[in-house]
Amino acid sequence: MRAKRESLKILINAIRENKVDDDIIDLLFLINSINGVYTTSSCSGRIGVIEEPKIGAKPLSRWLLKEHRPVTFEEVKESLKNAQSGIIFLKVQPPIFHVVAESMEIAKKLHEIGLSSGFKYTTFKALNKGRTLVEINGTEYLTVPLGRDGKTLISDEYLEFSVNLGNRMLERSKSRLPRLEENFKKLKEVLGEDELFYEIMED
Amino acid sequence: MRAKRESLKILINAIRENKVDDDIIDLLFLINSINGVYTTSSCSGRIGVIEEPKIGAKPLSRWLLKEHRPVTFEEVKESLKNAQSGIIFLKVQPPIFHVVAESMEIAKKLHEIGLSSGFKYTTFKALNKGRTLVEINGTEYLTVPLGRDGKTLISDEYLEFSVNLGNRMLERSKSRLPRLEENFKKLKEVLGEDELFYEIMED
């Protein structure tokens, strides 16, 4: 239970510092209020423009725009003015939840919930002693190169087409969140409330 | 063991019908020759052009070009002439292996092998009674919309840029295959040879 206590404190601090996506705070609270279950890093799904100095060099990449809602053509266009070096991408990433289960039996339930809520990339990411990390993940990924070293190689027409496509993919992936929430409510009925959660929330 | 026998027969038939990517046949044989381990659907990594009638409507999509090696600008350009309806994408997908382990202990070893060979999306995909499916998967995914309903929205310069980027990602993802093979050879030393494999291969 120490791990859950630590994770909850990290979550609450992150919320205080506005580092948690608004549209999934309630869902994260719901998941963490369930006995034997807690979340680690999660994201409500996003679209944005990123600059990557090298393929796969994630730590060195830089977001020029990052939103958890559909973006406008103008926002994207404006963000491109700040491009400097590396390959510029328009990226869409679906919601992703990292949920730890304190038993394999619970982990299997989380896995089922992910899949039956439409998150088709739901997997068991790590199996440790007495704990299993389930990744609930969608399939709506888009990675569109736009140019390099501050210079774009695309027309406005193409950019608008790609931004519209990306927005639709983001909305599609987020449209599954209410079903996910419903399924976690049902799980809570089965597994019960965790007193630890309410104890920490009251502090 | 019945499941492994069936899987091996499917693999051998697929090889006879030229449905298995040439560059991973030896690796698939190696994996299947290991005690307590067998493969199901796998791919050596590919790049191509695909038409998708609707977002996420995989069964209705149509490959206009699909190769397990880098492609030329001309091949891509030529394939685009056959575009008809739906959104046209340039896609890159890294190698992916589905490996079944006949115990959780072995599954954990497979998971370690995937990660330590550089396949960072390696996960436990399904946990069934006595069997665990491990997905060994890379991160080099590229999904570039090129146009819609037979009409492209890109310049030759942009297309060449994207194809070059895609080829580099494909090569990068495939460059990890020798390390993966080395690690499976070591696993074979630990787990031993499976007589069933040699029995079926002799048939």
Side-chain angles (χ1 to χ4, degrees), chain B residues 12-89:
Chain B
I12 289 166
N13 277 331
I15 290 172
R16 281 204 188 110
E17 293 168 15
N18 273 320
K19 285 181 181 164
V20 179
D21 314 340
D22 279 349
D23 55 345
I24 53 165
I25 291 180
D26 287 348
L27 178 53
L28 293 178
F29 278 155
L30 169 65
I31 299 173
N32 283 289
S33 74
I34 302 172
N35 239 328
V37 175
Y38 62 92
T39 60
T40 63
S41 66
S42 301
C43 172
S44 75
R46 61 194 182 184
I47 184 168
V49 176
I50 194 166
E51 243 183 358
E52 296 186 0
K54 280 185 182 178
I55 298 176
K58 260 194 183 172
L60 297 171
S61 56
R62 193 167 72 99
W63 287 98
L64 305 178
L65 175 71
K66 186 173 70 177
E67 298 293 346
H68 297 90
R69 50 153 179 86
V71 293
T72 64
F73 169 75
E74 289 74 23
E75 283 175 306
V76 174
K77 190 88 180 165
E78 190 62 31
S79 77
L80 290 170
K81 291 182 186 163
N82 297 315
Q84 288 170 358
S85 69
I87 299 179
I88 312 159
F89 291 98

Side-chain angles (χ1 to χ4, degrees), chain A residues 20-200:
Chain A
V20 179
D21 315 340
D22 279 349
D23 54 346
I24 54 164
I25 291 180
D26 287 349
L27 177 53
L28 292 178
F29 279 154
L30 168 65
I31 299 173
N32 282 290
S33 74
I34 301 172
N35 238 328
V37 176
Y38 62 92
T39 59
T40 63
S41 65
S42 301
C43 173
S44 75
R46 60 195 182 182
I47 185 168
V49 176
I50 194 167
E51 242 181 358
E52 296 186 358
K54 280 186 182 177
I55 298 177
K58 257 190 183 174
L60 297 171
S61 57
R62 193 166 72 99
W63 287 98
L64 306 177
L65 175 72
K66 185 173 71 175
E67 297 292 347
H68 297 90
R69 49 150 180 89
V71 293
T72 63
F73 169 75
E74 289 72 24
E75 282 174 307
V76 174
K77 190 87 181 163
E78 190 63 30
S79 77
L80 289 171
K81 290 182 186 164
N82 297 315
Q84 288 170 357
S85 69
I87 300 179
I88 312 158
F89 291 98
L90 174 73
K91 285 211 178 181
V92 176
Q93 296 169 336
I96 186 166
F97 296 87
H98 290 105
V99 191
V100 179
E102 287 174 349
S103 79
M104 183 56 80
E105 205 190 328
I106 296 176
K108 286 185 181 178
K109 288 187 200 295
L110 297 177
H111 187 247
E112 273 172 37
I113 281 180
L115 293 177
S116 67
S117 303
F119 292 87
K120 289 184 198 165
Y121 276 175
T122 298
T123 59
F124 303 91
K125 190 140 185 173
L127 307 175
N128 298 311
K129 283 170 216 140
R131 269 185 286 171
T132 301
L133 175 62
V134 176
E135 184 175 281
I136 297 177
N137 196 358
T139 55
E140 292 84 359
Y141 282 87
L142 192 69
T143 309
V144 189
L146 301 178
R148 184 171 31 197
D149 296 334
K151 189 181 162 247
T152 58
L153 292 167
I154 44 155
S155 65
D156 279 358
E157 187 190 12
Y158 175 79
L159 186 61
E160 194 159 12
F161 167 67
S162 296
V163 170
N164 283 341
L165 178 66
N167 282 334
R168 267 158 50 215
M169 288 172 72
L170 184 71
E171 285 172 327
R172 186 186 160 91
S173 69
K174 280 180 184 281
S175 72
R176 302 198 178 94
L177 290 173
R179 197 170 1 144
L180 188 66
E181 189 160 351
E182 279 314 303
N183 284 328
F184 270 111
K185 278 180 190 162
K186 284 180 202 156
L187 184 68
K188 189 173 179 176
E189 283 168 23
V190 176
L191 298 179
E193 279 186 353
D194 190 345
E195 283 177 23
L196 176 67
F197 172 77
Y198 295 96
E199 181 196 309
I200 289 174

